[in-house]
Amino acid sequence: MQLDFTTFSLPLLATATETADSSLVLAAVLLSMVVIYLASKVGGELSNRFGLPPVLGELVGGVVVGISVLHLLVFPEGGADSSNSVIMTFLQTTGGLNPDAADAVFKAQSEVISILAELGVIILLFEIGLESNIKDLIAVGIQASVVAVVGVTVPFAAGTVGLMTLFGIPAVPAIFAGAALTATSIGITSKVLSELGRLNSKEGQIILGAAVIDDVLGIIVLAVVASLAKEGSVDVGKVIYLIISASSFLVGAIVLGNLFSNTFVAIASKLKTRGGLVIPALVFAFVMAYFAAAIQLEAILGSFAAGLVLDETDERVELQKQVIPIADILVPIFFVTVGAKTDLGVLNPAIPSNREGLVMAIFLIIVAILGKVVTGLSVFGQPQINRLAIGVGMIPRGEVGLVFLGIGSSIGILSKPLEAAIIMMVILTTFLAPPLLRFVFPEPTTATAIEEVLLDNSSGKSLVIESPDSRDDK
């Protein structure tokens, strides 16, 4: 029996754009997924062979298949259209698409991949939340808060003042670029820490807690500077709302952990069909992510909070095992997509318009790295702690930096050189952090162990769980 794509109808995809043929959108998405998984696996395996975190290989694989090299996976928000996509060219040749129809399919396909990438980072942060211990995070809460505040204040002030005094950038664009320097990619850092087996170390918990607080502070800073850019003044009421809502959400999630854990186990134990544990957990994670987005926070903070809550349950070990295959499917989409959207063309000094951006980029990169590395010096009361590792863990800007850039571009306040400089800062900090983390963290003595025994503080029972170092690349 011959399978004919044109006999299928996918209303959800068809509504993504009025003129897109849903069957061809499906075909484009399937080809994109093939490219993503091949790039993820090849890049991850090569990176692992060289002793580097597999996530770095996934990012590099994304760059290779993206707008910078092969043009297999490109996105319209970077200025590309269907003519820049090898996949769309292939579909035009084999499917008889005209250029207008190809553009419609391209936009719908890009939207689907972007949504899957967002789901990937939501699942990643849910998984990281399950691997974290809420008591450990609370124990380093003060240190993490200090690290986060320093990690926001230092690069923001240095970047803003430096751009205004050294390059003559007007105040509002300089403030926006300084705000982009405050970001920390919790997704990239937490994945690398997990791969290194350092997620539950004292340094890892401080980095993770600081990255969460950093995201909250970054959202508030973004709201302030976006308001300043749009209206010429800051909406104090909105700033106060963001501070209260962010604090209430995180505190509420911690309180919910004590109230919800027993209820979740009771519900899951009564479900006898497949997915009786993981489906209710994902429902809870998505609901928490929705609530975070609804109050103008990042959805990933909601899923991370959900993971922290469910980490308090007796079923967390089994739940971790069941979430791993889902993460293996969705998380690579996120990292490859981040790499694919990275345009290395801004590094070409032969293009005159890039030269001013290159000089500003060098300045922003120095501030971006040093502004986060100094955060390790702010840790107190921990004489034996690896302060350099904490600072390095805060370096990557990743998707968070791209969010700042995207909003600045949409408002229209960034010049092309400054926009190129911010892009390069995001690229370099994102790609430098994984190998630097590998360098500053010596190999743990238990790195070759397949299993480790953790003591459950609440029950006093020993639990055997899979070591992060023994897992395959996610």
Side-chain angles (χ1 to χ4, degrees):
M1 174 178 158
Q2 187 175 6
L3 188 63
D4 184 3
F5 276 112
T6 60
T7 61
F8 288 85
S9 175
L10 296 177
L12 180 61
L13 297 183
T15 58
T17 179
E18 292 179 3
T19 58
D21 185 329
S22 60
S23 61
L24 289 173
V25 174
L26 174 61
V29 169
L30 292 175
L31 288 175
S32 299
M33 295 299 291
V34 170
V35 169
I36 287 170
Y37 286 138
L38 285 176
S40 166
K41 217 56 202 152
V42 172
E45 290 295 328
L46 287 175
S47 184
N48 189 57
R49 285 177 182 270
F50 285 101
L52 297 171
V55 65
L56 180 61
E58 293 179 359
L59 287 168
V60 174
V63 171
V64 172
V65 300
I67 191 66
S68 296
V69 184
L70 298 180
H71 291 249
L72 289 167
L73 191 67
V74 296
F75 296 86
E77 54 262 39
D81 56 30
S82 61
S83 65
N84 301 116
S85 170
V86 173
I87 288 177
M88 294 313 305
T89 301
F90 175 77
L91 287 177
Q92 280 185 269
T93 304
T94 58
L97 279 175
N98 60 55
D100 289 339
D103 282 337
V105 172
F106 171 65
K107 291 177 182 177
Q109 169 253 348
S110 299
E111 184 177 346
V112 172
I113 296 299
S114 295
I115 290 173
L116 290 174
E118 289 296 320
L119 281 175
V121 74
I122 286 173
I123 292 295
L124 170 62
L125 267 295
F126 177 60
E127 182 185 23
I128 295 301
L130 286 173
E131 292 178 0
S132 304
N133 187 293
I134 199 167
K135 296 182 180 66
D136 292 340
L137 281 177
I138 292 173
V140 299
I142 297 177
Q143 286 96 336
S145 299
V146 172
V147 168
V149 171
V150 172
V152 168
T153 305
V154 172
F156 176 74
T160 302
V161 174
L163 287 173
M164 292 175 66
T165 56
L166 298 178
F167 300 95
I169 302 296
V172 173
I175 290 172
F176 210 100
L181 291 168
T182 66
T184 296
S185 174
I186 184 175
I188 292 172
T189 297
S190 58
K191 181 71 183 294
V192 175
L193 288 172
S194 180
E195 289 171 348
L196 293 176
R198 296 289 187 171
L199 189 64
N200 287 315
S201 66
K202 182 72 73 173
E203 293 87 351
Q205 291 297 297
I206 291 176
I207 293 170
L208 195 59
V212 171
I213 299 169
D214 201 54
D215 265 2
V216 175
L217 294 176
I219 291 164
I220 295 169
V221 171
L222 179 60
V224 172
V225 295
S227 175
L228 179 64
K230 289 178 182 177
E231 304 165 12
S233 61
V234 176
D235 186 344
V236 178
K238 186 173 184 179
V239 175
I240 294 174
Y241 165 78
L242 285 171
I243 295 173
I244 294 174
S245 61
S247 304
S248 300
F249 182 83
L250 292 175
V251 173
I254 294 173
V255 174
L256 187 63
N258 296 324
L259 301 176
F260 183 74
S261 57
N262 293 332
T263 303
F264 174 81
V265 172
I267 293 173
S269 64
K270 294 183 183 299
L271 301 176
K272 304 302 179 184
T273 55
R274 287 179 56 175
L277 179 62
V278 71
I279 295 300
L282 289 179
V283 168
F284 178 60
F286 292 158
V287 168
M288 291 288 283
Y290 161 75
F291 280 132
I295 60 175
Q296 301 178 40
L297 301 176
E298 290 291 327
I300 57 177
L301 290 179
S303 61
F304 175 75
L308 283 178
V309 169
L310 296 183
D311 178 69
E312 296 295 294
T313 68
D314 295 334
E315 299 290 340
R316 68 182 182 276
V317 177
E318 181 61 30
L319 184 56
Q320 285 176 3
K321 293 179 181 178
Q322 293 188 25
V323 167
I324 287 173
I326 300 172
D328 290 342
I329 293 171
L330 290 175
V331 173
I333 303 174
F334 166 69
F335 287 110
V336 173
T337 298
V338 170
K341 291 180 178 180
T342 300
D343 185 3
L344 297 183
V346 299
L347 296 171
N348 184 4
I351 301 175
S353 61
N354 286 349
R355 292 169 190 166
E356 184 183 358
L358 281 169
V359 177
M360 282 194 288
I362 293 171
F363 169 75
L364 290 182
I365 290 166
I366 292 172
V367 172
I369 293 174
L370 295 182
K372 293 295 186 179
V373 170
V374 298
T375 61
L377 301 177
S378 65
V379 178
F380 58 92
Q382 304 286 338
Q384 303 299 321
I385 205 159
N386 189 337
R387 288 177 168 79
L388 180 60
I390 292 173
V392 169
M394 300 293 290
I395 287 176
R397 269 53 175 193
E399 75 289 351
V400 184
L402 294 175
V403 168
F404 276 76
L405 176 64
I407 293 175
S409 297
S410 64
I411 296 173
I413 63 169
L414 300 176
S415 65
K416 286 295 181 184
L418 183 55
E419 191 171 309
I422 295 174
I423 291 174
M424 292 171 62
M425 179 274 294
V426 172
I427 294 171
L428 264 295
T429 56
T430 299
F431 283 95
L432 279 175
L436 284 177
L437 273 172
R438 172 76 72 176
F439 177 76
V440 298
F441 268 126
E443 288 293 330
T445 55
T446 57
T448 57
I450 296 178
E451 293 183 334
E452 61 182 352
V453 178
L454 297 180
L455 186 65
D456 182 352
N457 293 326
S458 61
S459 65
K461 297 179 180 178
S462 293
L463 299 172
V464 180
I465 69 169
E466 188 179 6
S467 170
D469 287 317
S470 67
R471 295 176 184 160
D472 293 330
D473 173 27
K474 296 175 186 174

